[in-house]
Amino acid sequence: MTTQDRLAGDAARAMDEIAAALAGVPEDELDAIAGELLAARRIACYAPGREGLALRGLVMRLFHAGLDAHYVGEMSCPAVGEGDLVVLSCGPGRLSTVEALAGVAVRAGARLLYLTAQPGNPPASQADRVVHVRARTMADDHAPAAVLPMGSAYEIALFVLADLVTNRVRAHRAEPVEVSRSRHTNLE
């Protein structure tokens, strides 16, 4: 087997891992997530580590779609309260930062959308909606069978899921793509 053949095989297996994770999210769940986003006055998102990159991508696309979306920790992120939605992701579950932010959101009266591969762990019980993304994370990355290491399958699936949800948001808003493009920065 050549190096190129091995690379092609690993790439195909990686794509299969991501596709399997996304296939585990029911179709109606995508519409429900889009509904939560569209109903929110404003949206604040947070996830630790590489998952945070995926949710930053979600914030960017929601902004392009015309929604008032922010990333927690940025100076421009406003306070949340009644009518707002906080989107948290914690693939492996049980991270103190995510649990603390969930508590703040709930106490402030915001709705909580929680994305995770471990729906039995906190703060799932506090969430208004829990989305189970069935992918390997750091919590269960002990078997060598997967090609994507240390939770990468969850993180990449989350990034793709964010774009799929954003497509539904844009479809509900029925704006031409030119309107979304007009919201894209010209400072790059």
Side-chain angles (χ1 to χ4, degrees):
M1 177 181 286
T2 68
T3 303
Q4 195 62 32
D5 291 339
R6 190 171 30 256
L7 175 61
D10 285 349
R13 286 180 44 221
M15 297 303 285
D16 288 344
E17 289 175 26
I18 296 162
L22 291 168
V25 179
E27 183 79 15
D28 60 340
E29 192 70 42
L30 296 179
D31 288 321
I33 296 167
E36 291 276 358
L37 294 165
L38 288 162
R41 176 180 62 151
R42 72 173 70 104
I43 302 155
C45 299
Y46 176 80
R50 288 170 37 121
E51 291 175 45
L53 299 174
L55 286 195
R56 285 176 190 270
L58 174 63
V59 167
M60 180 181 181
R61 290 295 184 234
L62 293 176
F63 172 77
H64 293 158
L67 301 185
D68 189 6
H70 305 271
Y71 192 79
V72 173
E74 297 294 328
M75 290 188 294
S76 59
C77 186
V80 296
E82 196 75 32
D84 296 331
L85 177 68
V86 174
V87 180
L88 299 175
S89 174
C90 187
R94 300 260 20 183
L95 291 178
S96 60
T97 307
V98 176
E99 290 181 49
L101 289 171
V104 171
V106 169
R107 284 190 300 279
R111 289 186 57 78
L112 181 59
L113 170 64
Y114 184 54
L115 306 154
T116 186
Q118 305 289 330
N121 289 340
S125 62
Q126 294 178 279
D128 296 287
R129 177 170 299 281
V130 176
V131 178
H132 185 187
V133 180
R134 290 170 174 82
R136 185 181 297 247
T137 68
M138 294 281 289
D140 53 13
D141 188 35
H142 306 294
V147 73
L148 295 171
M150 300 172 54
S152 291
Y154 179 84
E155 297 151 1
I156 296 167
L158 188 60
F159 202 93
V160 175
L161 181 67
D163 274 351
L164 296 175
V165 167
T166 303
N167 286 344
R168 289 173 188 257
V169 167
R170 285 182 44 242
H172 284 300
R173 290 179 53 85
E175 287 184 341
V177 71
E178 293 78 28
V179 175
S180 291
R181 287 180 194 261
S182 73
R183 295 184 187 110
H184 193 284
T185 186
N186 62 356
L187 297 173
E188 43 181 30

